[in-house]
Every structure is written in structure tokens, then in C-alpha cells.
Amino acid sequence: MARVAIVTGGSGGIGQASALKLARDGMAVVVHYGGNRDVADETVKAITEDGGKAIAVQADITEPASVAAMFDQAEQEYGGVDVIVHTAGVMNQPTPLVDVDFDTLDRVHRINIRGTFAVAQQAARRVRDGGAIVFFSTSVLGLNLPGYTVYNATKGAAEAITMILAKELRGRDVTVNTVAPGPTATKLFLDGKDEETISRLANQAPLERLGQPEDIAEAVAFLGGPARWVNGQVMRVNGGIA
């Protein structure tokens, strides 16, 4: 029986690349989207045309009942859930702490922390034994760059959830890990940045390029598939930046 994966934020960027990769690896994929059904349908179409299985499911990740309903649909369609890949999140424009607007703080924290917690709670309750849970952080967390207090605080929370949940699931044979990408050519990363900034960030890595969503998807597939002895870890996938 094929393993079943839910990929939040699966309609674009790293989430879409992860959904496509997991499907190519033989998993049935639930492609979650927040508001853009058309892009989610495109991802599903790409998977099914390649011979895979996928459905698109809408959910508000900040609302526990909506997340639970997404898991319900996955179980009804495919019989259970084995892998959770939680890529959905937001990033604010880098801003010094003294200038942070609290509406921005609340919005980013609600999506990135409350959303992660809601997904984590359902995953902990419902992922089948032998499964895998993959959260997302950022390599920026290790660089402590000025202006990133809001975003880094939310990703620090994701890493904390990872470490503790891995221990709380003792005896279940369920792994819990986090992927922490470096600069990656996604809409989330590129929005609001000029060419000079993008070039400077790309050249931070010894490989002298931005990561591609497919680079990150390779790490996701490893943690969601064969990496059964990797647990409670943060994998920094950044081309060697830090």
C-alpha cells in the first residue's frame, strides 16, 4: 500500500516541489492550499499526469478544526496519513526590532507558530506508526541577521516544537525533523528584494547560487522516506552558508 503524504503549502514554491517529488517516489499526496485553488489544481494535475495520485484540499492552518478536517479528507480518500510536510508560512520584510509593527508581529506569529502547532497536534495524533513529520525553519536563524527578529522568532519556535515532539512520540516509530533552507528562489524569498540583494545573498554560499525548490525537496524526500534513523534534527539545506 502506498504511503500517504500531506504537504501544506503544496500549491507553490518548496511545497509544490516537495509534493511532486514525494509523488514521484510513490506516495499519494494531499496538496494543501490556503486560497489559490487554481495553483493547487495545477500541482495535482502534474502529479496525476505523471501517473501519481493526488488531491487538493483547502484549509486554514491557523484553525485547528480546519486542519483536522484536512486530515479527515486525507483519511477518507487514502485510508490514513504517513508523512506530514509543513511548508506553509509567511515572511515579513526585514525590520529592526524597534520599528516592528505589532500587527505584523501578530500576523506572522499566528501563521508560523499557531499554524505549525495546529498541524503538529493533528500530526502527532494521526500519523501512522512508521511515519514522518517534517517542519520548516530557516538557515537565517543561525546567522542572526539584523532585521529578522520576527521571522526568526517564529522559526525558532518550529525548531523547539520539533525537538520536543520527537521525544513525545517515543515508541511510535515516527520521526520528527525540520528542514532549514538557505536562500531559495521562491516567490516568498524573492518578493521585495532588488537584484543587488538577490545576487549578494546568492553568493553567500560556496556554491555561488540560490537554492532551487527542487534542492529542498530532495531533503524533504529523504526525511519523509528512507531516513528512519534521523530524528529530532534540524537539516540546514543551504549550499554551505552556515
Side-chain angles (χ1 to χ4, degrees):
M1 182 174 64
R3 283 158 67 85
V4 178
I6 295 175
V7 180
T8 70
S11 59
I14 291 170
Q16 183 181 55
S18 298
L20 293 170
K21 172 60 177 170
L22 294 176
R24 286 194 297 270
D25 287 350
M27 296 190 195
V29 181
V30 174
V31 179
H32 158 267
Y33 67 99
N36 194 335
R37 176 64 188 251
D38 290 342
V39 179
D41 284 343
E42 289 174 10
T43 305
V44 169
K45 182 180 179 183
I47 290 171
T48 55
E49 286 184 345
D50 197 38
K53 294 181 179 179
I55 57 171
V57 175
Q58 194 278 336
D60 179 350
I61 62 166
T62 70
E63 292 299 334
S66 186
V67 174
M70 176 175 64
F71 275 76
D72 289 343
Q73 284 187 256
E75 291 173 348
Q76 290 163 10
E77 183 73 21
Y78 296 122
V81 178
D82 302 286
V83 177
I84 302 297
V85 180
H86 180 51
T87 76
V90 295
M91 183 178 185
N92 62 299
Q93 289 296 318
T95 306
L97 184 147
V98 296
D99 297 323
V100 168
D101 176 83
F102 273 74
D103 287 340
T104 298
L105 176 71
D106 291 344
R107 178 179 66 87
V108 177
H109 277 220
R110 179 177 177 82
I111 295 171
N112 289 2
I113 296 180
R114 181 183 168 98
T116 297
F117 199 94
V119 171
Q121 191 172 68
Q122 288 300 316
R125 292 171 176 170
R126 299 167 76 164
V127 166
R128 292 186 286 209
D129 291 0
I133 302 169
V134 182
F135 297 119
F136 267 74
S137 179
T138 174
S139 286
V140 175
L141 191 61
L143 300 176
N144 297 311
L145 298 178
Y148 283 83
T149 49
V150 173
Y151 186 62
N152 279 17
T154 68
K155 293 308 182 179
E159 293 192 11
I161 290 169
T162 297
M163 304 308 175
I164 295 171
L165 186 57
K167 295 180 179 180
E168 290 182 348
L169 295 182
R170 173 183 289 272
R172 290 267 305 278
D173 188 27
V174 173
T175 62
V176 187
N177 294 288
T178 283
V179 174
T184 306
T186 65
K187 186 176 185 294
L188 179 68
F189 171 79
L190 296 173
D191 274 359
K193 295 182 174 69
D194 58 32
E195 289 298 324
E196 182 182 353
T197 299
I198 293 169
S199 178
R200 175 173 53 80
L201 292 171
N203 284 320
Q204 284 183 321
L207 298 178
E208 296 186 334
R209 67 173 176 87
L210 292 178
Q212 297 298 315
E214 293 75 16
D215 295 321
I216 314 305
E218 293 288 346
V220 169
F222 173 65
L223 294 173
R228 300 310 304 161
W229 195 234
V230 182
N231 191 27
Q233 303 299 314
V234 176
M235 181 181 289
R236 306 210 179 280
V237 186
N238 57 29
I241 289 175

